[in-house]
Amino acid sequence: MLKALQKIDITGPVGKLETIVIPAVGDTTGIAVICHPNPTQGGTNTNKVIQTAAKALSQLGYVCYLPNLRGVGDSDGEHDYGNGEVDDVLAVIAHAKAEQGELPLALAGFSFGGFVAARVRERIDADKLLLMGVAVGKYAIPTPHVPADTLVIHGEADEVIPLSAALDWARPQHLPVVVFPEAGHFFHGRLVQLAAMIKRCW
């Protein structure tokens, strides 16, 4: 019988962080923390792209933590444009490790969440990094360079973060980008393909 997802509150730097936990299918072999898109445009931990990624990673043995970062949903605090959110994610990672033990860690994010995940990866080691429609060039702080094995997925027709911006960021890093032809920012109609790509490339 499959274990059900849980909704928990994690103590963050400015108060509670409401978090969805999606258990691993079968044995737990890793922890994944997955960050939502821009909350000023309605992004939360129920977003279909990060839910799709979480379900794919859970099938690979990851227990997935999807926090609403500060100021989102019932989480405390105020949106901080990717600054304080880094500390929120670090608090979620610490909680997850306390619950699950020192398992391999994956960081993931979509759009704004990809920007946050890349900044978290700059602060700590992680075994894997997944960036979907990463919000490069949108914030005062540049999106940092990332490890060479980062899985970057972008839509050819992304109307929020142009593919050209993602390639300009990736090019000096010699970083491959998986491009979904004709896909927009939210991967509408392509979520099954997105899940399959994550599982294939992981």
Side-chain angles (χ1 to χ4, degrees):
M1 190 170 76
L2 294 177
K3 293 174 278 188
L5 66 80
Q6 295 178 288
K7 294 183 179 180
I8 64 172
D9 290 335
I10 292 173
T11 301
V14 294
K16 76 173 180 183
L17 297 166
E18 64 169 353
T19 302
I20 295 170
V21 181
I22 297 176
V25 176
D27 294 336
T28 300
T29 58
I31 295 164
V33 178
I34 306 172
C35 304
H36 60 69
N38 188 355
T40 66
Q41 297 175 306
T44 73
N45 62 1
T46 61
N47 171 267
K48 289 182 180 179
V49 175
I50 67 166
Q51 288 280 331
T52 295
K55 286 170 185 171
L57 293 176
S58 72
Q59 290 168 5
L60 296 175
Y62 287 82
V63 55
C64 298
Y65 290 75
L66 287 68
N68 269 339
L69 301 173
R70 59 184 61 195
V72 181
D74 287 332
S75 292
D76 292 331
E78 295 181 359
H79 177 60
D80 195 28
Y81 302 95
N83 296 304
E85 287 85 355
V86 172
D87 295 322
D88 294 344
V89 174
L90 292 173
V92 173
I93 292 168
H95 179 96
K97 287 185 172 183
E99 280 193 338
Q100 307 294 335
E102 288 292 331
L103 293 170
L105 173 66
L107 298 170
F110 166 49
S111 194
F112 166 77
F115 171 68
V116 172
R119 294 195 64 204
V120 172
R121 181 61 183 84
E122 198 176 27
R123 295 264 297 269
I124 64 165
D125 287 332
D127 297 275
K128 296 277 191 176
L129 179 61
L130 165 63
L131 305 177
M132 300 164 289
V134 59
V136 296
K138 280 288 187 180
Y139 297 96
I141 295 172
T143 305
H145 285 196
V146 295
D149 62 352
T150 299
L151 177 55
V152 182
I153 302 175
H154 215 89
E156 179 189 29
D158 192 316
E159 68 283 7
V160 177
I161 311 296
L163 175 60
S164 60
L167 292 174
D168 288 346
W169 168 74
R171 190 174 295 111
Q173 305 178 65
H174 298 162
L175 185 67
V177 177
V178 177
V179 177
F180 276 32
E182 300 183 336
H185 188 61
F186 294 94
F187 297 94
H188 290 311
R190 309 293 284 278
L191 294 175
V192 172
Q193 187 181 21
L194 178 64
M197 183 63 68
I198 292 168
K199 289 190 281 189
R200 185 181 311 135
C201 293
W202 208 249

